[in-house]
Each structure stands twice: as C-alpha cells, then as structure tokens.
Amino acid sequence: MSTAPGLFITFEGIDGAGKSTQARALGAWAEAEGREVVLTREPGGSAGAEEIRRLLVEGTPDRWSGETETLLFTAARRDHLERVIRPALSAGKVVISDRFADSTRVYQGAARGELRGFVDTLHALAIGREPDLTLILDMDPEVALARGLARRSGEDRFEEEGLAFQQKLRAGFLALAASDPARCRVIDASRRPEEITADVIATAREKLQ
Ligand code: TYD
C-alpha cells in the first residue's frame, strides 16, 4: 500500500469542455509518477450512485424540481464518497473525479434557480469534504455545446437547455473559482487537447509534491 497521502482532484466546467479526456490524461500521468489512481465521475462513481445517475440524466428538463434534483445529486455524492472516494484517499491513492460538489453549486445553486443556500446547507450536512484541487476547464459555451450535443448518448437532459443556460454556467464556474482561489484553478480549454493537458499536469504537479 502507498505511504503517500491521498490526493483528491476534481474537474469542473460546462458540458462538453473535455473534462473526461483531461481526467484520463492526468490519471495516466499520475500513474506514471508511481501513484495509484482512481478515476471516477459524478453523477455516479459507485454502484448506487450510478443508479441514481439514470434518474438524473434521462427524461425531460422539468422532470424534477430544483430541490428534488439537488437532493438526488447529494444522495448520489454521499454514496460515492462513502464507498469510493474516502476509502481510496485513506489508502493513499489519487482520486480524480469528473465533477463533484461544485457542479451542484453552479448547476442547481445558481443556473437553475436561486438554490445556493439549500445546496450549501445540504453539502455541509451530508458531504462536508472539498477536493484538494479543482481544475475548472473554461471555454466558449457555443463550441462546448456543439461538442456536447454531438455525442447524443440519451443523456441529454442537461445539455438540451441551450446556449443561454451554458453561458450562465460558465459565469457561475468562473465566480466560484474567484471565490476559492486556493483550491480552484481555471484552465483555458479552448486550446488543443495536448496544450490543455500540459497545463493540467503542471498545476497538479504542484499539489502532488
Ligand atoms: P456529465 O456526465 O458530467 O455530463 P458532461 O460529460 O456532458 O459534462 O454530467 C451530466 C449532467 O449532470 C451535466 O449536464 C451536469 C449535470 N450535473 C448537475 O447538474 N449537478 C451536479 O451536481 C452534477 C455532478 C452534474
């Protein structure tokens, strides 16, 4: 078992900003550095949370109220934290998650209604853990939206809400980054994937050492 302390890194940003590609690239790099890596995602990441994910990503945009949606995301996150994230960090692993609590702060807390107080109270009660480092992949929503919708996976409930919504999300993530500069780094994700990866690795390297 590794003796290094665990490290919890999250990727955040609007739909289609390339988070999963960059999460994989960072994971491969950390493994090459000799670390054990757990790559995971939200909503989902544990068996129970993946079941909740289906309730969240399928169906029409008005399927749930903002409050119900927040409760479901938080329930999924609690399971993910208990079953996957905490055990891996305790074992000294590097946990890299494609989305975590900042997505709820921005999607449910800001962009889908004024639920930030509700989101923050639930987070404090049920989650109470922040990542060591959050990489916010920032890009023009018009480009990201085109990429996201191109995927057409049957999981389009959130992406279908349009460009104005994605612009609100972008502003929400940038505001969040500004409010917590010790944890969050904004990465320009409009560049070529290799350039973004180089930036991601340089930022994570500081935390890993
Ligand atoms: P995800 O699978 O990351 O989609 P994408 O790869 O397109 O970014 O997440 C599915 C959707 O769920 C996505 O539109 C963001 C949304 N979401 C929330 O609204 N709140 C949350 O807390 C999380 C984790 C995701």
Side-chain angles (χ1 to χ4, degrees), residues 7 9 23-38 93-96 201 204 208:
L7 186 69
I9 301 176
R24 278 196 302 275
L26 179 62
W29 173 79
E31 272 178 356
E33 293 284 296
R35 298 296 299 255
E36 277 187 85
V37 173
V38 173
K93 296 179 185 172
V94 176
V95 176
I96 301 172
I201 289 172
L208 211 60

Side-chain angles (χ1 to χ4, degrees), residues 42-44 46 48-50 52-53 56 65-83 85-86 100-106 108-109 115-129 158:
E42 290 203 354
S46 61
E50 290 290 335
I52 299 172
R53 176 188 174 93
L56 283 160
S65 73
E67 287 83 351
T68 307
E69 196 170 278
T70 302
L71 288 162
L72 287 169
F73 277 115
T74 307
R77 181 162 306 128
R78 174 74 195 207
D79 192 63
H80 186 207
L81 191 67
E82 287 176 358
R83 309 290 170 109
I85 298 173
R86 273 201 209 122
F100 188 65
D102 294 320
S103 283
T104 314
R105 292 183 178 115
V106 171
Q108 283 67 46
L115 292 180
R116 185 60 194 269
F118 186 81
V119 168
D120 287 348
T121 302
L122 262 181
H123 179 82
L125 275 173
I127 309 298
R129 160 92 213 201
F158 291 90

